[in-house]
Amino acid sequence: MRIGELADRAGVTTRTLRYYESRGLLPARRGGNGYRTYDEDDLRALRQIRTLQDFGFDLEETRPFVECLRAGHPEGDSCPASLAVYRSKLAELDSLIGELSAVRDTVGAQLARAERAMDALAAEDDSAPRCELRE
Protein backbone atom coordinates (compact mmCIF):
# COMPACT_ATOMS: atom_id res chain seq x y z
CA MET A 1 0.00 0.00 0.00
CA ARG A 2 1.10 3.56 -0.52
CA ILE A 3 1.68 6.19 2.12
CA GLY A 4 -1.76 7.80 1.85
CA GLU A 5 -3.58 4.51 2.34
CA LEU A 6 -1.41 3.58 5.31
CA ALA A 7 -2.02 6.99 6.86
CA ASP A 8 -5.78 6.64 6.38
CA ARG A 9 -5.91 3.12 7.80
CA ALA A 10 -3.78 4.06 10.80
CA GLY A 11 -5.49 7.40 11.46
CA VAL A 12 -2.34 9.49 11.14
CA THR A 13 -0.98 11.97 8.66
CA THR A 14 1.50 11.24 5.91
CA ARG A 15 3.78 13.74 7.62
CA THR A 16 3.74 11.56 10.75
CA LEU A 17 4.66 8.52 8.67
CA ARG A 18 7.57 10.36 7.08
CA TYR A 19 8.74 11.40 10.54
CA TYR A 20 8.56 7.81 11.80
CA GLU A 21 10.50 6.76 8.73
CA SER A 22 13.18 9.38 9.45
CA ARG A 23 13.45 8.01 13.01
CA GLY A 24 13.86 4.45 11.70
CA LEU A 25 10.55 3.16 13.06
CA LEU A 26 9.05 2.49 9.63
CA PRO A 27 10.99 1.06 6.70
CA ALA A 28 11.94 3.29 3.81
CA ARG A 29 10.96 0.92 1.00
CA ARG A 30 10.23 2.30 -2.44
CA GLY A 31 8.47 0.69 -5.35
CA GLY A 32 9.75 0.74 -8.92
CA ASN A 33 7.84 3.98 -9.45
CA GLY A 34 9.66 5.65 -6.54
CA TYR A 35 6.63 5.73 -4.24
CA ARG A 36 6.89 4.57 -0.65
CA THR A 37 5.33 1.15 -0.16
CA TYR A 38 4.06 -0.44 3.02
CA ASP A 39 2.46 -3.73 4.04
CA GLU A 40 0.27 -5.10 6.82
CA ASP A 41 3.28 -5.56 9.10
CA ASP A 42 3.96 -1.84 8.84
CA LEU A 43 0.35 -1.14 9.77
CA ARG A 44 0.69 -3.41 12.82
CA ALA A 45 3.87 -1.61 13.87
CA LEU A 46 2.20 1.74 13.42
CA ARG A 47 -0.79 0.68 15.51
CA GLN A 48 1.60 -0.53 18.21
CA ILE A 49 3.38 2.83 18.21
CA ARG A 50 0.11 4.75 18.44
CA THR A 51 -1.27 2.56 21.23
CA LEU A 52 1.89 2.94 23.28
CA GLN A 53 1.89 6.69 22.74
CA ASP A 54 -1.74 6.81 23.90
CA PHE A 55 -0.52 5.14 27.10
CA GLY A 56 2.12 7.84 27.59
CA PHE A 57 5.18 6.20 26.05
CA ASP A 58 7.40 8.58 24.12
CA LEU A 59 8.33 7.73 20.57
CA GLU A 60 11.76 6.35 21.39
CA GLU A 61 10.26 4.07 24.04
CA THR A 62 8.20 2.40 21.29
CA ARG A 63 11.29 1.29 19.37
CA PRO A 64 11.84 -2.02 21.23
CA PHE A 65 8.21 -2.99 20.62
CA VAL A 66 8.48 -2.27 16.89
CA GLU A 67 11.71 -4.26 16.69
CA CYS A 68 10.06 -7.12 18.59
CA LEU A 69 7.18 -7.13 16.09
CA ARG A 70 9.66 -7.17 13.21
CA ALA A 71 11.42 -10.12 14.84
CA GLY A 72 8.19 -12.08 14.53
CA HIS A 73 6.66 -11.77 17.98
CA PRO A 74 2.92 -11.29 17.44
CA GLU A 75 2.32 -8.77 20.24
CA GLY A 76 5.61 -6.93 20.06
CA ASP A 77 6.11 -6.95 23.79
CA SER A 78 7.58 -10.35 24.58
CA CYS A 79 11.20 -9.39 23.94
CA PRO A 80 13.63 -8.47 26.74
CA ALA A 81 13.96 -4.85 25.58
CA SER A 82 10.17 -4.41 25.49
CA LEU A 83 9.86 -5.85 28.98
CA ALA A 84 12.54 -3.46 30.21
CA VAL A 85 10.58 -0.51 28.80
CA TYR A 86 7.42 -1.76 30.51
CA ARG A 87 9.29 -2.00 33.82
CA SER A 88 10.74 1.47 33.40
CA LYS A 89 7.34 2.95 32.52
CA LEU A 90 5.72 1.30 35.55
CA ALA A 91 8.41 2.74 37.82
CA GLU A 92 7.84 6.17 36.27
CA LEU A 93 4.09 5.87 36.76
CA ASP A 94 4.51 4.71 40.36
CA SER A 95 6.68 7.75 41.03
CA LEU A 96 4.12 10.09 39.47
CA ILE A 97 1.33 8.47 41.48
CA GLY A 98 3.38 9.03 44.63
CA GLU A 99 3.95 12.67 43.77
CA LEU A 100 0.27 13.22 42.97
CA SER A 101 -0.74 11.48 46.18
CA ALA A 102 1.53 13.80 48.18
CA VAL A 103 0.05 16.86 46.43
CA ARG A 104 -3.45 15.55 47.12
CA ASP A 105 -2.62 15.09 50.80
CA THR A 106 -1.27 18.66 50.97
CA VAL A 107 -4.33 20.12 49.26
CA GLY A 108 -6.61 18.11 51.57
CA ALA A 109 -4.75 19.41 54.62
CA GLN A 110 -4.98 22.98 53.33
CA LEU A 111 -8.71 22.56 52.75
CA ALA A 112 -9.24 21.18 56.26
CA ARG A 113 -7.22 24.07 57.77
CA ALA A 114 -9.16 26.64 55.74
CA GLU A 115 -12.50 25.11 56.74
CA ARG A 116 -11.50 25.21 60.42
CA ALA A 117 -10.43 28.83 60.07
CA MET A 118 -13.72 29.75 58.40
CA ASP A 119 -15.71 27.97 61.09
CA ALA A 120 -13.70 29.72 63.80
CA LEU A 121 -14.33 33.14 62.24
CA ALA A 122 -18.05 32.44 61.91
CA ALA A 123 -18.25 31.31 65.57
CA GLU A 124 -16.44 34.43 66.83
CA ASP A 125 -18.53 37.06 65.14
CA ASP A 126 -21.53 37.05 62.86
CA SER A 127 -20.32 40.32 61.40
CA ALA A 128 -17.14 38.72 60.05
CA PRO A 129 -16.49 39.53 56.40
CA ARG A 130 -18.14 37.20 53.95
CA CYS A 131 -16.07 35.69 51.16
CA GLU A 132 -18.87 34.64 48.87
CA LEU A 133 -18.57 35.27 45.17
CA ARG A 134 -20.97 37.73 43.65
CA GLU A 135 -21.96 37.95 40.06
Side-chain angles (χ1 to χ4, degrees), residues 15-75:
R15 183 176 185 208
T16 298
L17 296 179
R18 287 186 201 96
Y19 179 68
Y20 291 172
E21 181 183 308
S22 74
R23 298 294 305 266
L25 293 168
L26 283 176
R29 292 186 307 265
R30 302 242 178 204
N33 56 9
Y35 293 134
R36 288 174 172 87
T37 61
Y38 301 95
D39 58 24
E40 292 298 319
D41 289 340
D42 299 321
L43 181 60
R44 282 186 43 228
L46 189 55
R47 286 182 175 151
Q48 179 85 337
I49 292 167
R50 302 304 291 175
T51 298
L52 290 167
Q53 286 188 310
D54 288 346
F55 292 154
F57 289 70
D58 67 36
L59 190 58
E60 194 55 37
E61 288 173 321
T62 69
R63 185 176 301 281
F65 297 88
V66 171
E67 290 171 356
C68 193
L69 277 172
R70 287 196 182 127
H73 297 272
E75 299 300 321

Side-chain angles (χ1 to χ4, degrees), residues 50 53 63 69 107 111 113 121 124 128 134:
R50 302 304 291 175
Q53 286 188 310
R63 185 176 301 281
L69 277 172
V107 170
L111 173 62
R113 182 205 48 80
L121 282 174
E124 288 177 12
R134 298 180 194 176

Side-chain angles (χ1 to χ4, degrees), residues 81-132:
S82 301
L83 296 173
V85 172
Y86 273 152
R87 287 185 192 99
S88 175
K89 183 56 74 176
L90 280 175
E92 179 185 328
L93 291 170
D94 287 341
S95 176
L96 289 171
I97 289 169
E99 290 172 23
L100 287 173
S101 182
V103 169
R104 187 188 188 291
D105 291 346
T106 300
V107 170
Q110 288 292 96
L111 173 62
R113 182 205 48 80
E115 288 174 335
R116 287 191 305 273
M118 183 180 75
D119 291 344
L121 282 174
E124 288 177 12
D125 185 3
D126 283 340
S127 64
R130 302 252 184 245
C131 302
E132 296 164 9

